Amino acid sequence: MSERRPGAAPNETTRRALLGGTLLGTTGLLLGGTALARTPPTTREPDIASTDAWGARPPRNELVLLSRPARKIIVHHTATPNSTDHSRAHAFELARSIQDHHMDHNGWTDTGQHFTLSRGGHITEGRHHSLAAFRDGGRHVVSAHTSGQNRLAVGIENEGTYDNVAFPSTQYDELVGLCSALCTAYAIEPYEIYGHRDFNATGCPGDRLYALLGQLRTDVAASVGGDPTGVSWPLLRSGDEDERVRVLQYLLNEHGATLTTDGIYGPATEGAVRDFQRSTGAIVDGLAGNQTWNQAVRERTYGDSGPAVRAVQHRLGTTVDGVFGPVTESAVRTFQSERGLRGNGVVDARTWDELVG
């Protein structure tokens, strides 16, 4: 699986020390907060075997449940043998094997990912309570599948190694169905379906499966609607001077840097990029490319505040006070309308893409 490869693996212990949220007991859900308004799922729920069904061990510690939905989906491959056993019993054995590896070898609380899809097309719940959170549609179980994204993204492990081997059609069809159901339940746009390598220094989910993600987004959009076009970020480097650099500086400040937002990619900005890449498990090269932008961007909406909001306001030409109030929301809606985006006033990855570009 993705965590077995060299490079920065998700550090569950460090993350848990920093996380707030509602705790999930090993014997049930301890839910807190107010459920978010949402549209009930309309797609068929895939057949997902619960942790009880495949005989999971209880989590070692309490899990964390956020009272808000996941905002994206990240696709992995397990980097295990391409088994020819397509039975449900094998899928259950795989789920137990992954949990044992994550808990006993990695020292994690539970299975890292939310769901696992076998080569035979059988889906199993990974981390406890992921199935209940998905059915609720307004909650997200904090996971351990992608450094920097575990509070935001649903993780799907796909059995097999797909560097050079084609992804099986049965497995692909079930992946489309699962992603479609998740997008409906959580109101995730198809363009928010990614591969693990879009965030971390890893080859996961393999070249062959990664090459299918564009088709996956298209097929999911055909099922549930929405925009399948993946986001596209600029590559910035030392010596660059423009508004894209200024946005990057604001975003890095949102994550703890103290840069002057002058739009100049000098030594301080390059150093901040390297520090951020190191902290999120991305490739550390000082270049602001795909992984850096994907890790730095966070959805911003009414009521938010901070440097990222300042970046939005600067690009929209409104008062730069760092507070996402009515004026900023109105300006975002106008910008979205002018760019042919969904005019909901929420600055998600697609809106960020347009603001940066």
Side-chain angles (χ1 to χ4, degrees):
M1 63 204 62
S2 52
E3 293 82 358
R4 298 185 188 181
R5 272 183 291 281
N11 186 329
E12 184 173 73
T13 303
T14 301
R15 277 196 310 275
R16 281 183 54 81
L18 300 174
L19 294 177
T22 304
L23 295 180
L24 298 174
T26 59
T27 58
L29 296 177
L30 299 176
L31 302 178
T34 302
L36 302 178
R38 59 187 174 84
T39 302
T42 57
T43 56
R44 176 187 64 83
E45 179 180 306
D47 181 10
I48 302 174
S50 69
T51 49
D52 286 342
W54 57 263
R57 298 156 57 182
R60 179 176 288 116
N61 301 302
E62 291 176 313
L63 302 175
V64 177
L65 181 70
L66 304 179
S67 295
R68 55 176 173 76
R71 302 312 310 144
K72 60 190 74 171
I73 297 169
I74 300 178
V75 175
H76 304 257
H77 71 173
T78 60
T80 54
N82 295 311
S83 176
T84 57
D85 185 346
H86 294 173
S87 68
R88 188 176 179 86
H90 169 76
F92 286 8
E93 180 183 2
L94 173 71
R96 291 190 291 270
S97 174
I98 290 174
Q99 187 187 40
D100 287 343
H101 181 81
H102 285 183
M103 294 179 69
D104 299 336
H105 182 271
N106 293 357
W108 294 352
T109 291
D110 194 5
T111 301
Q113 71 275 7
H114 298 93
F115 302 102
T116 307
L117 176 54
S118 76
R119 281 173 58 83
H122 302 287
I123 306 172
T124 52
E125 180 183 26
R127 180 151 291 209
H128 281 75
H129 311 305
S130 297
L131 184 54
F134 155 57
R135 286 172 173 165
D136 175 86
R139 301 179 187 277
H140 175 63
V141 181
V142 176
S143 53
H145 61 88
T146 303
S147 292
Q149 297 295 309
N150 292 300
R151 293 173 62 87
L152 303 170
V154 176
I156 302 174
E157 283 280 5
N158 292 272
E159 181 191 13
T161 301
Y162 297 108
D163 297 309
N164 301 301
V165 176
F167 196 61
S169 59
T170 298
Q171 196 172 11
Y172 178 79
D173 290 344
E174 290 300 321
L175 181 59
V176 171
L178 177 57
C179 288
S180 296
L182 289 166
C183 284
T184 299
Y186 288 126
I188 297 172
E189 285 284 345
Y191 55 72
E192 295 273 29
I193 299 174
Y194 302 90
H196 188 181
R197 67 174 67 175
D198 288 321
F199 300 94
N200 296 155
T202 176
C204 180
D207 291 347
R208 297 292 294 273
L209 178 51
Y210 187 77
L212 282 176
L213 294 187
Q215 185 62 49
L216 175 63
R217 287 188 284 263
T218 297
D219 289 340
V220 170
S223 174
V224 303
D227 182 359
T229 307
V231 296
S232 177
W233 303 112
L235 177 62
L236 304 179
R237 65 189 72 211
S238 181
D240 288 342
E241 296 185 24
D242 57 28
E243 289 303 310
R244 300 175 302 174
V245 176
R246 193 190 308 273
V247 172
L248 175 65
Q249 291 167 331
Y250 275 121
L251 291 175
L252 291 171
N253 287 347
E254 181 79 10
H255 292 276
T258 56
L259 295 169
T260 300
T261 53
D262 56 8
I264 301 173
Y265 204 125
T269 297
E270 181 178 356
V273 167
R274 289 181 180 274
D275 289 343
F276 180 65
Q277 291 170 332
R278 197 172 293 112
S279 72
T280 58
I283 295 172
V284 181
D285 56 10
L287 305 176
N290 191 45
Q291 290 181 355
T292 302
W293 287 105
N294 282 333
Q295 290 280 18
V297 163
R298 294 289 188 271
E299 185 176 277
R300 287 295 173 259
T301 188
Y302 188 90
D304 288 339
S305 60
V309 175
R310 290 179 179 272
V312 172
Q313 293 169 330
H314 181 85
R315 292 297 288 153
L316 294 177
T318 63
T319 300
V320 182
D321 60 5
V323 178
F324 202 128
V327 173
T328 300
E329 183 180 44
S330 177
V332 170
R333 289 181 184 275
T334 299
F335 176 81
Q336 290 170 327
S337 176
E338 292 172 348
R339 297 302 180 98
L341 307 178
R342 183 174 59 171
N344 59 2
V346 176
V347 184
D348 67 353
R350 170 65 72 234
T351 304
W352 274 117
D353 184 16
E354 292 290 334
L355 286 169
V356 172

